[in-house]
Amino acid sequence: MTATVLPTADHLREEARRALERCGVDPALLQGPHFSRSPVNGADLLPVTWVDGDAVDEAVARAQDAFLVWRETPAPVRGALVSRLGELLVEYKQDIATLISLEVGKITSEALGEVQEMIDICAFAVGLSRQLYGKTMPSERPGHRLMETWHPLGVVGVISAFNFPAAVWSWNAAVALACGDTVVWKPSEAAPLTALACQAILLRAIEETGAPQHVSQVVLGGADVGERLVDHRHVALLSATGSTRMGRAVGPRVAARFGRCLLELGGNNAAIVAPSADLDLATRGIVFAAVGTAGQRCTTMRRVLVHEDVADDLEQRLVSAYERLPIGDPTAEGTLVGPLIDSRAFQNMTEALRRAGEEGGKLLVGGGRRLGEEGPDTYYVEPAIVRMPAQTEVVREETFAPLLYLVRYRDLNAAIALNNDVPQGLSSAIFTSDQAEAERFLSAVGSDCGIVNVNIGTSGAEIGGAFGGEKETGGGRESGSDAWQAYMRRATNTINYSGELPLAQGVDFSV
Ligand code: UN1
């Protein structure tokens, strides 16, 4: 394992400043009293200004005005804005990736991957701007036509989390803009600089394509800013990514004003490893899904349900892979595991490890803290694997850290039951060479998650599919497939060209 020397605060600050400057961020926005902090070395990066609730009201009012213009702009013309955004993201890919690494500790390859995901959603949304299809249906009445049309919805409020500080905004913004909505974004408090860079790039695309200036805005701030968006009657759709606890608070508040909600909450994702699995492939798939982004994706694999015939073999392979993981400075070449976001994440992991021990777990590898001396406020941890005697209480909870539980099974139905016996329902996987087993897992009596994979891990979904999950994950779907429908309102139209007035269901109402 590597023990890298961490970059100095001055070095990181300089890197951030250069990236922001290239992206065209107005230096006037980089003033206190709040600071963006880097988990890479625990030091403050640059100051930013937070706004208050009144500024949110003003931003929503501007977004509402812009909406009145934007909704009348032809959808393919709206697509041209998203297309330009995608081009600029290609151009500034490295700068945004740098800011993501500095602010949330993502390794370079995954930070670049996050920006690629933004570029991909732009391409998807541009195509979508010519495919906002409604259906036509045969009417039961002669001389009638029945059809549906999709119209822009209004202002979309986006609340995003630290772990995908830019991509999740773009999933929402690219699709919402193509659909004719306008956006007000409250980014994670951990990643304001990334948000300012994204906003600067979008502003340039707005100027170049002549779109209304306020089709998309960013509001930096704390919980009060988020709450104002949640409660604002002009926020037609509130799209929020974060913890189940946050979703439990947000959902009812938006529902109380009859607003729409799109929730992407917790996950407690499992993979089943069947006796026929290619164990080499399974090992690689599990390590990426369990350890990537230091275990801080909502799609992170947290449980492996392994058949007892292959359990010892798989355990050995995983432990050996974990022992070789390069942990350290996420911006250094070759690092695979960067830091946890903050001390609370570290405490949560430590606490879960303690409870797992109490509940009969045996720690197989990892769990220690690294580099504590170089940066006292940094939380580099060794990803851990714990063998559990059963799916106990702690295993059923989501711990947002690289902590993987192994539970053995004997019968596939029991493994599927374990997969489903958690409150969350985001992602799931099965590693098997037996098609009947794979099909069972994919079927109505299989996994109850929103994402169900075969011979691939639980994380790293592509843009084309709808992303999201069931149960305490919140039920929302974003990015691909028909997820755009959440950003539009549907009108059902019945058109009578018969010259008569026949009533549906054969009702006779002649006077
Ligand atoms: C998240 O962790 O909030 O499927 C999103 C994945 C990524 C997105 C994760 N494409 O892992």
Side-chain angles (χ1 to χ4, degrees), residues 117 163-164 168 171 241 296-299 458-462 467:
E117 201 160 328
N163 63 335
F164 274 79
V168 170
W171 291 0
T241 304
Q296 300 170 110
R297 290 194 189 207
C298 53
T299 49
T458 51
S459 68
E462 300 175 20
F467 182 94

Side-chain angles (χ1 to χ4, degrees), residues 473-511:
T473 302
R477 290 297 185 279
E478 281 176 321
S479 91
S481 187
D482 58 5
W484 61 270
Q485 294 183 353
Y487 301 80
M488 302 197 86
R489 64 181 176 84
R490 178 199 329 239
T492 302
N493 317 120
T494 308
I495 300 136
N496 174 12
Y497 57 93
S498 69
E500 309 289 328
L501 197 68
L503 299 178
Q505 298 89 39
V507 171
D508 182 4
F509 209 83
S510 23
V511 282

